[in-house]
Amino acid sequence: MQDPLITLTLAVAGLTGLAIVAATALRGWNGWLDLKRAELARGTDEAAPPSTATRIEVADLKERIRKLEAIAAGVDL
């Protein structure tokens, strides 16, 4: 049969570990909530879709980069 002191020690250690994990998770959750509050306070400008002109300009730049990479690699277009 096991010694009751060993059982008590394991139970206390397990409870302490569980308390540490719970405190860490709670702190992380509060940090995440603070981040979301800051995002809401900053506004939703970042969530707005880009304008059509911006999309066209980005597509043009990507095409130019692709052509320059092809030239650098020595590939004929």
Side-chain angles (χ1 to χ4, degrees):
M1 189 153 199
Q2 282 189 334
D3 186 22
L5 186 59
I6 292 174
T7 305
L8 181 63
T9 304
L10 287 175
V12 169
L15 189 59
T16 303
L18 182 62
I20 290 171
V21 169
T24 304
L26 183 61
R27 192 170 210 187
W29 175 254
N30 284 333
W32 184 81
L33 286 176
D34 290 340
L35 174 68
K36 292 300 174 182
R37 283 187 193 112
E39 286 178 358
L40 287 173
R42 185 175 42 205
T44 58
D45 294 338
E46 294 176 11
S51 67
T52 304
T54 304
R55 287 183 184 178
I56 291 171
E57 186 176 342
V58 169
D60 182 48
L61 289 172
K62 285 182 179 180
E63 181 66 21
R64 291 171 72 186
I65 289 171
R66 187 186 65 78
K67 287 180 181 178
L68 288 172
E69 287 175 343
I71 290 170
V75 176
D76 276 339
L77 295 177

